[in-house]
């Protein structure tokens, strides 16, 4: 009989503090001693003087499983592409996005966020994760980890039965689930929903009111229905509101790359408050001649949770890249110490490749041109060369997005022209 293959496991984690390092070391020891697993751990196998990047790359390729130990510090460094965790993220992410065997990477959540969800880095947040957040349940969680590594599921599918006798079955229609609705406080008021590329604005308290204290309100939601933040407008705010509307965009936490869609919505929120008599808001909304959707909802009317409209699909999918371009431009045009440029360059290089790969795909020829600019970075650059490199990276990312947008627009127009009139 052939000897069973022993799984090789690489542990990716952050040296957050001595307590966390000891927790990871104890886990690795137990996997080796008690679970029969071959573990690659930097504290055992990393050799002083050797190339750390190559050690990580070789270890991840060699491993059958990669344990991604996600505490709060690991998530922060992974998202910012900082330090050794950022390096490992750069190596791991292309494998994740190129559909590597799904079960190779095992995210292990050590912390939860404020909503009680497992805290995971963005690039792996869509994966099922193993929670090891409660020390009281460690033995149960460890047993599940053993099974994941050895690929021995706790539950197996039952034996398949015979095909049903469809001829003699009576079919009854099952009630359909209702579409999710947006939960709002003022259901007795008129409301307007104004869609943006990665979220939407909900206007409330817009029905005419003679009270001096009357304010109109706007809340910004993402397309999962999670409220980001809100603002309110009173006539006494007009001067400050008109002079610098970007302050309101920041207050609402609207991503900067989406600000170009925001002037008109906030103008209308202001206009609703400055009227001196009741107006027909429904008619006003219906008269808007826009290339993107705005919806009116009468009092007590349910608001279906909006989905990303086709008109915004490109801007929704390129949100990370567009945000990155804004960061690059801001960094390039402002004066910083040269070491600050280099510190930010680590995150920018990683993000530029990761977001481009995610949107374009491995086979898109533009990816090679972007990588060529990314690789021209040199840690010896002075301030002028750093600014020049940032501008070149901005140029290649912007031109790539412009090309992709033109292609998308042509396809979008074609599909609109071919779709039957409704």
């Amino acid at each position: 009989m052939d000897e069973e293959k022993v799984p090789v496991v690489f542990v990716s984690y952050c040296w957050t503090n001595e307590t966390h390092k000891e927790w990871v070391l104890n886990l690795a020891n137990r996997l080796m001693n008690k679970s029969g697993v071959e573990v690659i751990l930097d504290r055992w196998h990393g050799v002083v003087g050797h190339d750390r990047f190559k050690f990580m790359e070789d270890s991840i390729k060699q491993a059958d499983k990669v344990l991604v130990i996600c505490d709060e510090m690991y998530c922060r460094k992974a998202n910012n592409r900082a330090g050794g965790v950022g390096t490992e993220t750069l190596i791991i992410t292309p494998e994740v996005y190129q559909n590597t065997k799904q079960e190779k990477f095992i995210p292990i959540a050590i912390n939860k966020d404020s909503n009680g969800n497992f805290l995971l880095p963005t690039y792996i947040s869509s994966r099922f994760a193993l929670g090891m957040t409660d020390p009281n349940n460690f033995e149960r969680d460890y047993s599940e980890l053993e099974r994941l590594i050895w690929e021995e599921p706790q539950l197996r599918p039952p034996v398949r039965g015979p095909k049903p006798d469809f001829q003699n079955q009576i079919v009854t229609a099952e009630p359909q689930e209702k579409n999710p609705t947006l939960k709002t406080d003022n259901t007795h008021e008129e409301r307007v929903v104004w869609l943006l590329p990665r979220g939407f604005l909900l206007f409330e308290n817009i029905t005419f009111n003679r009270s001096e204290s009357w304010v109109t309100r706007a809340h910004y939601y993402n397309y999962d229905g999670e409220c980001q933040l809100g603002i309110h407008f009173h006539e006494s705010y007009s001067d400050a509101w008109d002079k610098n509307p970007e302050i309101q965009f920041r207050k609402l936490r609207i991503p900067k790359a989406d600000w170009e869609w925001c002037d008109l919505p906030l103008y209308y929120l202001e206009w609703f408050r400055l009227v001196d008599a009741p107006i027909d808001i429904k008619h006003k909304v219906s008269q808007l001649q826009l290339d993107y959707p705005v919806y009116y909802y009468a009092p007590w009317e349910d608001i279906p949770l909006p989905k990303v409209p086709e008109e915004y699909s490109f801007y929704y999918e390129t949100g990370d890249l567009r945000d990155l371009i804004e960061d690059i431009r801001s960094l390039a045009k402002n004066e910083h110490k040269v070491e600050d440029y280099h510190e930010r360059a680590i995150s920018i290089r990683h993000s530029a490749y990761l977001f481009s790969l995610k949107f374009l795909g491995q086979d898109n020829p533009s990816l090679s041109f972007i990588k060529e600019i990314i690789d021209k970075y040199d840690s010896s650059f002075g301030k002028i060369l750093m600014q020049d490199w940032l501008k070149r990276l901005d140029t290649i990312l912007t031109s790539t997005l412009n090309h992709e947008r033109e292609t998308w627009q042509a396809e979008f127009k074609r599909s609109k022209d071919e779709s039957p009139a409704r």
Side-chain angles (χ1 to χ4, degrees):
M1 176 183 280
D2 294 336
E3 185 177 350
E4 186 168 22
K5 183 181 183 300
V6 174
V8 177
V9 172
F10 174 68
V11 183
S12 174
Y13 69 106
C14 179
W15 286 26
T16 303
N17 51 45
E18 290 302 321
T19 301
H20 184 61
K21 286 166 62 178
E22 192 66 20
W23 187 91
V24 173
L25 182 61
N26 290 337
L27 179 69
N29 276 321
R30 182 164 178 175
L31 288 170
M32 288 277 287
N33 296 331
K34 304 295 184 183
S35 304
V37 174
E38 187 68 40
V39 177
I40 304 174
L41 188 68
D42 56 355
R43 295 180 69 183
W44 292 337
H45 301 101
V47 179
V48 175
H50 283 196
D51 188 324
R52 188 177 183 187
F53 187 94
K54 188 172 188 331
F55 165 72
M56 295 173 184
E57 188 173 29
D58 290 345
S59 299
I60 291 171
K61 287 180 179 178
Q62 178 186 347
D64 301 299
K65 304 288 182 184
V66 177
L67 305 188
V68 186
I69 311 294
C70 307
D71 67 339
E72 186 174 353
M73 182 65 74
Y74 186 99
C75 294
R76 188 180 308 128
K77 288 191 172 185
N79 289 338
N80 294 327
R81 310 296 181 265
V85 170
T87 300
E88 289 176 12
T89 300
L90 182 63
I91 299 169
I92 292 172
T93 303
E95 293 198 51
V96 171
Y97 281 114
Q98 290 172 32
N99 295 319
T100 296
K101 191 178 179 185
Q102 294 277 315
E103 58 268 26
K104 176 171 181 174
F105 299 96
I106 303 176
I108 298 177
I110 304 299
N111 303 119
K112 293 183 178 181
D113 62 20
S114 57
N115 296 319
N117 301 316
F118 290 153
L119 195 61
L120 299 170
T122 302
Y123 78 93
I124 208 168
S125 59
S126 64
R127 298 294 180 99
F128 289 110
L130 173 63
M132 300 186 82
T133 60
D134 186 351
N136 296 324
N137 294 326
F138 180 83
E139 293 302 324
R140 179 201 66 189
D141 299 334
Y142 181 83
S143 176
E144 185 174 350
L145 177 60
E146 283 182 313
R147 289 182 173 276
L148 289 170
I149 293 172
W150 280 100
E151 297 186 4
E152 291 287 345
Q154 193 167 14
L155 296 176
R156 296 184 181 277
V159 177
R160 182 174 60 83
K163 177 181 177 181
D165 182 6
F166 293 107
Q167 296 297 325
N168 296 317
Q169 280 187 358
I170 299 175
V171 179
T172 57
E174 295 184 2
Q176 294 184 344
E177 292 187 9
K178 290 185 177 180
N179 292 326
T181 57
L182 191 64
K183 306 300 180 186
T184 64
D185 295 331
N186 294 335
T187 55
H188 62 288
E189 290 276 353
E190 296 176 287
R191 291 144 298 157
V192 169
V193 171
W194 197 299
L195 272 56
L196 300 174
R198 284 177 281 176
F200 56 92
L201 290 166
L202 172 67
F203 293 166
E204 298 177 290
N205 214 38
I206 54 178
T207 305
F208 177 73
N209 188 324
R210 295 191 182 279
S211 169
E212 284 294 322
S213 60
W214 174 37
V215 295
T216 52
R217 291 194 296 270
H219 285 83
Y220 179 65
Y221 292 77
N222 62 29
Y223 279 109
D224 292 326
E226 298 169 343
C227 182
Q228 304 303 295
L229 219 60
I231 58 171
H232 59 276
F233 176 81
H234 184 271
E235 62 179 342
S236 60
Y237 305 164
S238 294
D239 288 344
W241 188 283
D242 293 338
K243 286 178 182 176
N244 195 354
E246 292 181 359
I247 292 177
Q248 312 307 324
F249 306 159
R250 288 193 179 93
K251 287 181 180 179
L252 288 163
R253 294 184 183 170
I254 299 173
K256 188 174 181 180
D258 295 347
W259 285 4
E260 62 182 281
W261 285 271
C262 295
D263 284 318
L264 191 58
L266 262 63
Y267 164 78
Y268 269 88
L269 182 69
E270 181 181 13
W271 185 84
F272 288 143
R273 172 61 184 81
L274 295 179
V275 296
D276 55 9
I279 58 172
D280 188 338
I281 296 176
K282 182 178 182 180
H283 177 72
K284 181 70 176 178
V285 169
S286 69
Q287 296 302 303
L288 290 172
Q289 300 295 318
L290 303 173
D291 294 330
Y292 41 90
V294 182
Y295 302 108
Y296 168 86
Y297 293 93
W300 308 111
E301 187 178 2
D302 285 340
I303 300 179
L305 184 63
K307 297 180 180 179
V308 182
E310 292 180 53
E311 295 89 336
Y312 281 145
S313 60
F314 175 83
Y315 305 102
Y316 181 82
E317 293 170 7
T318 60
D320 288 336
L321 267 176
R322 293 186 297 108
D323 287 340
L324 180 63
I325 291 172
E326 291 291 340
D327 290 341
I328 292 171
R329 289 174 182 171
S330 176
L331 184 62
K333 74 179 181 181
N334 294 313
E335 289 295 323
H336 298 278
K337 296 179 180 178
V338 69
E339 52 266 29
D340 293 336
Y341 282 114
H342 286 293
E343 184 177 347
R344 290 289 306 280
I346 296 173
S347 171
I348 286 172
R349 291 172 66 214
H350 292 184
S351 297
Y353 182 74
L354 167 64
F355 297 152
S356 299
L357 174 66
K358 181 179 178 182
F359 174 66
L360 298 171
Q362 184 69 43
D363 299 328
N364 191 304
S366 295
L367 187 64
S368 62
F369 293 103
I370 293 171
K371 190 174 186 303
E372 181 180 343
I373 300 299
I374 293 172
D375 291 343
K376 286 188 181 297
Y377 165 79
D378 193 302
S379 58
S380 66
F381 280 169
K383 185 182 294 186
I384 294 176
L385 287 176
M386 274 302 305
Q387 290 177 331
D388 179 65
W389 175 77
L390 288 167
K391 290 174 182 176
R392 293 176 68 187
L393 186 56
D394 175 5
T395 300
I396 187 65
L397 291 176
T398 301
S399 62
T400 299
L401 279 188
N402 287 342
H403 171 74
E404 295 294 326
R405 183 177 65 247
E406 289 173 4
T407 302
W408 168 78
Q409 286 175 333
E411 178 61 26
F412 178 70
K413 184 178 184 303
R414 186 188 64 78
S415 64
K416 284 288 188 183
D417 292 342
E418 292 179 355
S419 62
R422 286 186 270 182

